Every structure is written in structure tokens, then in C-alpha cells.
């Protein structure tokens, strides 16, 4: 239980940084939105409802900011996991090829091979739009449910 609370605390901090990034992006879009979109929206809105136009444009800016921030955070997480996975694969490959006689810490080829694996891993994730490919979805659906629960636990109060 304490491990779960620790993981949840770390993920909530990560979520807070993503929300901060989203609000910063939304603030960036707010001024052009007020300048160009708000007058058009007020012209298209009946007089009784024009008071809600600034609220609507602010929500739109925040929605755009959240979408961009989530994509950025997804790319950062994908790159991080690709680098870690590439290093793990390169070290395992060195051990397998040397039949356990060579220490991966002494080999300079580990870096080159890990960069290649990391590049391939990140390209794979980018090509699949950071989603699980269809055949693996069937196999990994319990993990997808667990991921959904973790996202819910992080974003709920």
C-alpha cells in the first residue's frame, strides 16, 4: 500500500507539471484568441449570451493547451522509455554475444548499440502514435485497464 501511495504521489507531481505546461500554452493562445476569435464569436452570438464568449474562448485555449501538453509529455515519456529500453537491450545483447564472459560496463559498443535501439524504439512508438499496436492490445488489455485506473487515480481529487 505504501508503494502505491509513493507512486501516486510522484505521478501527481508529474501531472501537476503537465497542467502547468498546459496553462502556460493556454496563456500563449489567450491574447491572439481575444484579438481575433472573440470579436467573431461575439458577432455570431445573441446579445443575451455574449457575456459567455470570453469564458468560451478561455476554455478553448485551455483545451488546446491541455492537448498540446499531453502530447509533449507523451513524447517525453516515450523518449525516456526508449532510451532506458535501448540500454537494457544493448547490455543484454553484449552479455548474450559474449556468452556471459564480457562485462557490459567495460564495453564502449554498448553506447552505440543502445542509441540505435533507443532510436528504433522511439521511432516505433512515434509510428504507432504512442499507442499499443492492434495484435498486442488483445494480449495487454489487463495492463491497459490498469493504466486507465492509474490515470483516473492521478487526475481525480
Amino acid at each position: 500500500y505504501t508503494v502505491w501511495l509513493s507512486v501516486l504521489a510522484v505521478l501527481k507531481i508529474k501531472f501537476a507539471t503537465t497542467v502547468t505546461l498546459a496553462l502556460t500554452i493556454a496563456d500563449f493562445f489567450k491574447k491572439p484568441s481575444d484579438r481575433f476569435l472573440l470579436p467573431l464569436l461575439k458577432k455570431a452570438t445573441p446579445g443575451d449570451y455574449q457575456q459567455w464568449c470570453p469564458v468560451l474562448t478561455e476554455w478553448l485555449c485551455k483545451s488546446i493547451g491541455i492537448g498540446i501538453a499531453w502530447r509533449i509529455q507523451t513524447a517525453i515519456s516515450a523518449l525516456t522509455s526508449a532510451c532506458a529500453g535501448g540500454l537494457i537491450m544493448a547490455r543484454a545483447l553484449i552479455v548474450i554475444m559474449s556468452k556471459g564472459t564480457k562485462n557490459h560496463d567495460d564495453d564502449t559498443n554498448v553506447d552505440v548499440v543502445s542509441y540505435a535501439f533507443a532510436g528504433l524504439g522511439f521511432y516505433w512508438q512515434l509510428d504507432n502514435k504512442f499507442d499499443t499496436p492492434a495484435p498486442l492490445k488483445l494480449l495487454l488489455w489487463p495492463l491497459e485497464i490498469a493504466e486507465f485506473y492509474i490515470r483516473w487515480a492521478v487526475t481525480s481529487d
Side-chain angles (χ1 to χ4, degrees), residues 3 13 25 38 47 63 85 103 115 124 126 129 131 139 151:
V3 173
I13 290 170
I25 293 169
L38 189 58
S63 297
N103 186 0
Y115 295 149
W124 172 269
L126 189 65
K129 297 179 178 86
D131 197 16
L139 183 66
R151 284 186 186 207

Side-chain angles (χ1 to χ4, degrees), residues 18-29 58-73:
T18 304
V19 169
T20 303
L21 177 62
L23 292 176
T24 303
I25 293 169
D27 285 343
F28 178 77
F29 286 120
E58 188 173 342
W59 282 358
L60 179 66
C61 290
K62 286 181 181 179
S63 297
I64 291 170
I66 287 170
I68 293 171
W70 272 114
R71 289 313 251 174
I72 290 171
Q73 185 58 50

Side-chain angles (χ1 to χ4, degrees), residues 119-134:
L120 288 171
F122 184 72
Y123 176 74
W124 172 269
Q125 292 184 51
L126 189 65
D127 191 47
N128 286 308
K129 297 179 178 86
F130 307 110
D131 197 16
T132 309

Side-chain angles (χ1 to χ4, degrees), residues 10 13 15 17 36 68 78 92 109 150:
V10 169
I13 290 170
F15 178 69
T17 58
F36 299 111
I68 293 171
N109 293 329
I150 291 169

Side-chain angles (χ1 to χ4, degrees), residues 83-100:
C83 289
L87 186 59
I88 291 168
M89 286 184 63
R91 287 178 175 174
L93 185 65
I94 296 294
V95 170
I96 290 169
M97 289 181 66
S98 68
K99 296 183 178 159

Side-chain angles (χ1 to χ4, degrees), residues 35-152:
R35 186 173 184 185
F36 299 111
L37 186 61
L38 189 58
L40 292 172
L41 192 59
K42 282 189 174 182
K43 283 182 184 177
T45 306
D48 293 343
Y49 300 105
Q50 286 187 357
Q51 65 185 3
W52 297 106
C53 290
V55 175
L56 187 62
T57 56
E58 188 173 342
W59 282 358
L60 179 66
C61 290
K62 286 181 181 179
S63 297
I64 291 170
I66 287 170
I68 293 171
W70 272 114
R71 289 313 251 174
I72 290 171
Q73 185 58 50
T74 301
I76 290 170
S77 298
L79 182 62
T80 303
S81 66
C83 289
L87 186 59
I88 291 168
M89 286 184 63
R91 287 178 175 174
L93 185 65
I94 296 294
V95 170
I96 290 169
M97 289 181 66
S98 68
K99 296 183 178 159
T101 60
K102 199 176 219 183
N103 186 0
H104 58 74
D105 292 332
D106 300 335
D107 198 345
T108 57
N109 293 329
V110 170
D111 294 334
V112 175
V113 175
S114 69
Y115 295 149
F117 281 139
L120 288 171
F122 184 72
Y123 176 74
W124 172 269
Q125 292 184 51
L126 189 65
D127 191 47
N128 286 308
K129 297 179 178 86
F130 307 110
D131 197 16
T132 309
L136 291 177
K137 273 189 185 244
L138 294 172
L139 183 66
L140 299 174
W141 68 268
L143 297 176
E144 296 234 359
I145 291 172
E147 181 185 4
F148 176 78
Y149 174 73
I150 291 169
R151 284 186 186 207
W152 174 83

